[in-house]
């Protein structure tokens, strides 16, 4: 028999049968400390939970397999994972990131710049000429996010990797919205991939966690390991166990979410109250051609619309849905809607009338009907 696919291995959490009990579902290991024998030798090879216990090791193993990585580490949140990468940039080091990306990560980098810890250049996502121009011999880190919040701009990962490597920089990719069932950045040439596991990987909006995976167990990865242990931003065992449970259904969830999101994007294109639809699965999306080769398992459940009527109409639309829940975050089984501008604040480049949707697993017909009625309500006023 040929080796099982990544999908099959994920469903079974890599065929993890508990050696002692035969349990098909792995146990949770909450212990923070580990015993020694009469010779003071560790019984199980580890002495303390930080940096990782057996449950975290098991989940990290599945994630490394999924990402095609030499190694993976689990963090207590996506932001903790991003902070660990940033921490490895030498003092005064040059970082290139995106004008459009998860705003929390951008704020963290801008803060490091204000403190004089790094120098930072932001370029529009997907603009490879701007990325080339921004990359210097002293560039230490290029940070990309694809698809990029909230217009879902697509970055050509293979080309971005070439640009980074030409100047000796590390390419890190925030692949939160394109989990490894659809995109594997390391196989396209990226050095580090980061996921907010809070989103699609867990998929049930009940775990906060982050992941870093690496193409090579190199010097930077060792340093990330030191930061990981010394700052202690490790996830709890129960959270990790829940993440492992959610991961098992990643492929089937993402496929259905992608299918429904495409239906919604196509329908919204025809809605007279909608000015623009951003979804990489639409032929009209500027990144569609690259997305087709880079997102092989679906374009995902994230889309955004610009609502005719400006800020107020967008606010009314998001408030008028009955099935979509007005809340932040993404990638869960429940569909969410969010008027982005009030969330990101006045300094954000996000348009006033942009509403972001995270498509869940409800019936497509119900979701379409809900959006239709909410747009009508928003424009009746
Ligand atoms: N990256 C992206 C694309 C995100 O959407 C988020 C959170 O919304 C993060 C990173 C941060 O992850 P976390 O909330 O798990 O810290």
């Amino acid at each position: 028999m040929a080796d099982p696919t990544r999908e099959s291995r994920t469903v079974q959490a890599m065929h993890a049968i508990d050696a002692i009990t035969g349990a098909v579902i792995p146990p949770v290991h909450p212990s923070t400390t580990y015993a020694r024998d009469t010779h003071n030798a560790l019984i199980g090879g580890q002495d303390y939970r930080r940096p990782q216990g057996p449950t975290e090791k098991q989940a990290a193993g599945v994630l490394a397999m999924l990402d095609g990585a030499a190694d993976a580490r689990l963090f207590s949140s996506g932001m903790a994972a991003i902070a660990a990468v940033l921490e490895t940039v030498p003092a005064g080091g040059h970082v290139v990131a995106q004008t459009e990306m998860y705003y929390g990560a951008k704020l963290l980098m801008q803060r490091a710049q204000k403190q004089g810890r790094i120098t930072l250049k932001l370029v529009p996502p997907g603009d490879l000429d701007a990325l080339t121009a921004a990359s210097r011999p002293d560039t230490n880190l290029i940070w990309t996010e694809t698809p990029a919040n909230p217009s879902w701009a697509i970055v050509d990962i293979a080309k971005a990797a070439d640009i980074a490597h030409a100047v000796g920089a590390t390419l890190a990719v925030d692949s939160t919205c394109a989990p490894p069932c659809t995109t594997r950045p390391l196989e396209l040439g990226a050095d580090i991939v980061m996921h907010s596991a809070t989103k699609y990987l867990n998929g049930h909006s009940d775990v906060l966690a982050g992941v870093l995976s690496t193409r090579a167990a190199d010097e930077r990865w060792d340093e990330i390991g030191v930061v990981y242990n010394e700052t202690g931003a490790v996830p709890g065992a129960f959270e990790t166990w829940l993440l492992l449970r959610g991961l098992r259904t990643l492929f089937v969830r993402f496929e259905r979410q992608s299918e429904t999101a495409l239906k919604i994007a196509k329908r919204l294109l025809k809605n007279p109250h909608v000015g623009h639809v951003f979804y990489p699965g639409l032929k009209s999306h500027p990144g569609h051609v690259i997305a087709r080769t880079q997102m092989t398992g679906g374009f995902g459940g994230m889309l955004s619309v610009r609502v005719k009527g400006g800020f107020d109409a967008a606010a009314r639309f998001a408030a008028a849905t009955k099935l979509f829940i007005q809340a932040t975050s993404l990638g869960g089984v429940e569909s969410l809607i969010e008027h982005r501008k009030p969330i990101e604040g006045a300094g954000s480049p996000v348009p006033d009338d942009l509403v972001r949707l995270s498509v869940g697993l409800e019936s497509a017909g119900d979701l379409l009907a809900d959006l239709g009625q909410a747009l009508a309500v928003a424009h009746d006023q």
Side-chain angles (χ1 to χ4, degrees):
M1 183 185 155
D3 282 347
T5 57
R6 280 192 170 86
E7 178 169 5
S8 297
R9 282 188 279 167
T10 306
V11 165
Q12 295 194 353
M14 296 176 80
H15 209 72
I17 313 291
D18 184 52
I20 297 169
T21 62
V24 168
I25 300 303
V28 190
H29 289 280
S31 187
T32 52
T33 187
Y34 295 83
R36 293 170 184 270
D37 65 16
T38 51
H39 305 289
N40 203 26
L42 287 165
I43 293 170
Q46 90 178 84
D47 67 341
Y48 194 58
R49 247 292 280 305
R50 177 162 51 73
Q52 59 176 1
T55 308
E56 295 85 81
K57 260 187 211 149
Q58 190 174 18
V62 177
L63 287 156
M65 176 277 291
L66 265 171
D67 271 328
D71 198 10
R73 289 200 170 90
L74 279 180
F75 290 78
S76 53
S77 68
M79 284 308 300
I82 296 168
V85 177
L86 204 58
E87 186 69 23
T88 62
V89 176
H94 185 237
V95 176
V96 181
Q98 295 177 178
T99 49
E100 194 189 301
M101 59 189 274
Y102 173 58
Y103 77 114
K106 191 158 80 176
L107 286 176
L108 183 75
M109 291 179 194
Q110 287 171 330
R111 187 165 178 275
Q113 181 188 32
K114 261 193 219 134
Q115 290 175 328
R117 286 232 311 98
I118 61 168
T119 54
L120 181 66
K121 174 76 183 164
L122 301 179
V123 299
D127 185 341
L128 295 173
D129 291 338
L131 188 61
T132 305
S135 304
R136 317 187 310 216
D138 66 334
T139 301
N140 179 266
L141 174 70
I142 295 184
W143 185 271
T144 59
E145 178 182 314
T146 180
N149 255 300
S151 77
W152 316 113
I154 300 292
V155 181
D156 185 326
I157 296 170
K159 292 206 171 122
D162 287 345
I163 294 168
H165 297 156
V167 295
T170 294
L171 179 72
V173 177
D174 181 339
S175 204
T176 296
C177 295
C181 53
T182 196
T183 302
R184 281 189 296 282
L186 302 178
E187 293 177 356
L188 297 169
D191 302 294
I192 292 175
V193 59
M194 175 266 154
H195 308 279
S196 165
T198 313
K199 319 297 181 188
Y200 285 105
L201 296 182
N202 173 59
H204 293 75
S205 308
D206 53 11
V207 168
L208 198 66
V211 183
L212 292 180
S213 296
T214 188
R215 192 155 54 88
D218 55 13
E219 218 176 292
R220 179 159 228 146
W221 187 248
D222 287 347
E223 184 147 7
I224 287 173
V226 172
V227 171
Y228 185 56
N229 195 29
E230 290 181 353
T231 61
V234 302
F238 291 103
E239 277 76 7
T240 306
W241 186 87
L242 272 176
L243 167 61
L244 200 53
R245 182 171 71 167
L247 256 184
R248 290 167 181 260
T249 55
L250 171 67
F251 283 75
V252 70
R253 281 186 282 107
F254 195 79
E255 189 180 328
R256 164 76 179 259
Q257 284 164 310
S258 298
E259 243 175 60
T260 306
L262 185 60
K263 280 184 195 157
I264 290 176
K266 285 183 173 166
R267 179 74 68 85
L268 289 176
L269 271 182
K270 295 186 197 143
N271 190 298
H273 303 311
V274 170
H276 195 87
V277 182
F278 302 89
Y279 185 63
L282 291 176
K283 288 200 179 101
S284 55
H285 190 279
H288 178 68
V289 173
I290 300 158
R292 264 197 351 233
T293 62
Q294 203 166 274
M295 301 181 80
T296 52
F299 299 105
M302 296 308 298
L303 65 137
S304 300
V305 293
R306 290 188 71 173
V307 181
K308 287 185 187 162
F311 184 96
D312 292 343
R316 285 197 300 270
F317 169 46
T321 51
K322 295 191 162 70
L323 190 55
F324 274 84
I325 300 164
Q326 193 173 201
T328 197
S329 201
L330 61 100
V333 296
E334 58 289 307
S335 294
L336 305 178
I337 187 164
E338 185 175 49
H339 183 202
R340 273 311 276 186
K341 191 67 174 205
I343 303 298
E344 296 198 15
S348 160
V350 70
D352 281 1
D353 55 5
L354 187 136
V355 174
R356 190 180 85 171
L357 306 177
S358 171
V359 175
L361 294 182
E362 303 89 341
S363 110
D366 289 344
L367 293 173
L368 285 165
D370 189 33
L371 293 173
Q373 69 78 26
L375 280 163
V377 169
H379 284 85
D380 273 355
Q381 310 213 347

